[in-house]
Amino acid sequence: MSAKPLAPAIEGWHTMQVKPHLIGSQCTECGTYFFPKQNDYCRNPHCNSTNFREVELSRTGKVWSYTNACYKPPAPFVAADPFVPYAIAGVQLETEQMVILGQVIEGLTVDDLKVGMPMELVLEALHETDDDIKVTWKWQPLTQ
Amino acid sequence: MSDEIAILGAGMHPWGKWGHNFVQYGVAAAREALADAGVPWQDIKFVSGGATIRCGYPGFVAGATFAQALGWQGAEVNTSYAACASGSQALAAARNKILSGECDVALVVGADTTPKGFLAPAGGYRPEDPDWVRFYLGITNPTYFALYARRRIDLYGDTLEDFAAVKVKNSLVGSKNPRARYRKCFTAEDVAASAMVADPLRLMDICATSDGGAALIVSSLEYARKLGKPNAPRVAAISTVTPTFASGVLEMPDIATDSAAASGVEAHAYRSMIPLKAYEEAGIGPEDISLAEVYDLSTALELDWIEDLQLAPRGESAGLLRAGDTALGGKIPVNVSGGLACFGEAVPAQALSQICELTWQLRGEAGDRQVEGAQVGITANQGLFGHGSSVIVKK
């Protein structure tokens, strides 16, 4: 990897520290969480709120399900050449009671995963541009 | 019951990768359905089209496009788009028109021409579009099918052999369907030898995209009687209900589910919701079903649908499969058309093609694929963002 600066692949969706958090929002009236952020209308059918606070979501959870990508996805995905398959996990956050999809860190395969397995959020490169390295959230097995 | 409508005719252009304009397929299907019904085109009062979004403006206004192609004759038109559930919504529009008394006989038609390769979202930097986000992060359609399949393995003990058995079962009946695209009888070894796409799903576990067209002629029961077809199969229910908040199932193309953190919310996924409404509307239960056409976007998804339709308790549909109960000649045959496994998906035509199959089955005209004594059939299919449709057809 080059010495280019790191930049988020999608601006404002996660913090950039070593132990990162996804940035979501929470309805100030009913407590429903949203990721990506929702700041305009609450989707809880029992709530008419238009007020939200920005929150950092839990950075650990348990595997809801998992798979991998054996073939290169189409654009806007930017693939390495040659394409390197990667694992994918949906992880259930306990406090927020929601499942969030993401790639699993490089080097792990589906054989390393199991439904219910504890996972944590990290940042890893998604692709490189002329100016910087675009990073995004990925899941890895929780290390105590 | 007074809220039923009759299916007078069904027609399909064979599925394939023909490379023609979608209108050609729709017209062929419509003409076959009109001939099957014995209704002259000039008598059709309402043309309800399923839209295709990949064929330019004519696809966006599909109802008018088909009406023009068949020859303007003054009918009213409608176009519905709901991804793979488009056909059901187009049928619902026709049913509303008929039951309100505004029209007595209608054409419902959908057709598609699919491009080569992946279906990709519009370009640019568009994080406000969940479809753009998930492709950017490397999440394709098979990802979602594979997540559901993996849960079946880890939670219910389903095996790769079970998934392959679905393909083998569907390809055996599909080989007898002249309208199907893939008519080869595949073996478990063929499936196991195909490339892994999204673990645990291999290439032959996942449906392709196809060109095709399907059409129905539907009418009031009174019109059917006057036409001398009092015993035509009837649409007894059309369900397009949404899930209820907060659905905990990852649905294409979202990268996150709803949050169920607020008090008082009770989540129901759409796949289990839509059959409930269909059964209630038809006044029947799962025990009355003779056959089902379900959306096997993947082999494993057929097993999920069987449980969502309550034809088996949750987690037990692989048992039905292993016992041969879901095969032609079994207790509850599923996808005797060959399903998506043999057709591939022609989005706006697919929900209508399921109803075409039920129509021929209930009339006893399905030939080598005939389910003996078929009385009631149900369909289920999937749109996007967690919605879909289910239609019940009965004798």
Side-chain angles (χ1 to χ4, degrees), chain B:
Chain B
M1 277 162 57
S2 61
D3 54 358
E4 294 176 348
I5 59 170
I7 302 175
L8 300 177
M12 287 170 65
H13 184 286
W15 263 227
K17 211 76 168 176
W18 312 109
H20 302 309
N21 189 308
F22 78 99
V23 183
Q24 182 177 332
Y25 310 136
V27 168
R31 287 188 173 156
E32 185 185 336
L34 286 163
D36 184 38
V39 174
W41 161 236
Q42 287 75 10
D43 290 3
I44 297 293
K45 303 292 198 314
F46 186 60
V47 178
S48 193
T52 168
I53 59 170
R54 292 190 285 261
C55 301
Y57 231 114
F60 300 151
V61 293
T65 298
F66 293 126
Q68 182 187 37
L70 289 159
W72 295 127
Q73 39 78 306
E76 288 197 271
V77 294
N78 165 76
T79 301
S80 299
Y81 189 71
C84 314
S86 301
S88 301
Q89 293 199 3
L91 177 63
R95 183 176 70 162
N96 291 346
K97 208 77 171 166
I98 291 166
L99 293 179
S100 73
E102 277 191 71
C103 122
D104 50 14
V105 60
L107 163 68
V108 186
V109 54
D112 205 6
T113 301
T114 49
K116 286 179 179 156
F118 271 106
L119 308 177
Y125 176 78
R126 301 186 302 111
E128 72 286 352
D129 175 2
D131 201 41
W132 181 91
V133 168
R134 56 107 174 194
F135 274 108
Y136 184 39
L137 298 177
I139 312 288
T140 61
N141 292 12
T143 301
Y144 295 87
F145 313 151
L147 292 170
Y148 310 147
R150 173 56 65 180
R151 280 180 68 79
R152 295 200 62 85
I153 292 175
D154 280 18
L155 271 60
Y156 309 141
D158 288 11
T159 65
L160 299 184
E161 290 71 29
D162 291 329
F163 300 160
V166 172
K167 176 73 174 186
V168 172
K169 169 183 77 75
N170 290 349
S171 73
L172 181 62
V173 278
S175 73
K176 303 170 185 174
N177 191 341
R179 295 176 174 88
R181 173 178 172 189
Y182 302 103
R183 299 189 57 199
K184 185 185 165 193
C185 291
F186 290 104
T187 64
E189 290 72 30
D190 293 330
V191 180
S194 67
M196 190 66 84
V197 172
D199 192 288
L201 299 177
R202 295 179 177 278
L203 189 59
M204 291 185 56
D205 287 301
I206 299 169
C207 91
T209 58
S210 293
D211 297 1
L216 299 170
I217 306 299
V218 291
S219 78
S220 66
L221 300 186
E222 188 188 348
Y223 185 95
R225 271 191 297 274
K226 283 182 183 166
L227 194 68
K229 300 194 174 199
N231 299 319
R234 297 170 179 197
V235 175
I238 304 171
S239 172
T240 60
V241 296
T242 64
T244 58
F245 187 84
S247 173
V249 177
L250 277 168
E251 301 283 5
M252 191 163 70
D254 288 327
I255 55 155
T257 64
D258 293 338
S259 147
S263 60
V265 297
E266 190 184 354
H268 294 284
Y270 87 94
R271 276 208 304 271
S272 55
M273 287 288 286
I274 53 172
L276 294 181
K277 195 258 185 178
Y279 286 133
E280 184 184 341
E281 190 172 301
I284 62 167
E287 66 282 1
D288 299 312
I289 298 297
S290 316
L291 76 161
E293 286 285 311
V294 307
Y295 228 57
D296 55 324
L297 291 163
S298 82
T299 50
L301 201 57
E302 175 172 310
L303 300 173
D304 280 330
W305 274 119
I306 289 167
E307 294 159 12
D308 289 316
L309 294 179
Q310 300 181 9
L311 303 174
R314 186 62 65 187
E316 295 181 20
S317 59
L320 286 188
L321 172 77
R322 291 170 201 148
D325 290 342
T326 57
L328 184 62
K331 284 183 206 158
I332 175 68
V334 176
N335 283 337
V336 289
S337 67
L340 292 173
C342 298
F343 276 80
E345 201 181 10
V347 173
Q350 211 64 46
L352 294 174
S353 75
Q354 293 179 315
I355 301 167
C356 287
E357 177 70 14
L358 293 185
T359 300
W360 292 317
Q361 288 283 347
L362 297 192
R363 296 198 312 211
E365 296 172 358
D368 294 344
R369 308 188 312 285
Q370 184 62 46
V371 173
E372 288 304 318
Q375 297 288 322
V376 184
I378 188 167
T379 74
N381 76 41
Q382 165 160 7
L384 280 177
F385 294 97
H387 77 75
S389 68
S390 179
V391 173
I392 292 176
V393 182
K394 67 178 198 185
K395 274 181 111 166

Side-chain angles (χ1 to χ4, degrees), chain A residues 11 13 30 32-33 35 43 45 64-68 70-71 76-77 86 96-99 101 103 115 127 136-137, chain B residues 118 125 127 132-133 135-138 146-147 150-151 154 195-199 245 250 255-260 262:
Chain A
E11 190 69 46
W13 281 29
C30 75
T32 296
Y33 291 88
F35 180 78
R43 296 208 311 254
W64 179 78
S65 192
Y66 58 96
T67 179
N68 61 10
C70 301
Y71 286 90
F77 185 79
Y86 49 87
E96 293 81 359
Q97 293 192 52
M98 67 196 297
V99 180
L101 258 183
Q103 287 190 24
V115 169
H127 66 95
T136 191
W137 75 90
Chain B
F118 271 106
Y125 176 78
W132 181 91
V133 168
F135 274 108
Y136 184 39
L137 298 177
L147 292 170
R150 173 56 65 180
R151 280 180 68 79
D154 280 18
M196 190 66 84
V197 172
D199 192 288
F245 187 84
L250 277 168
I255 55 155
T257 64
D258 293 338
S259 147

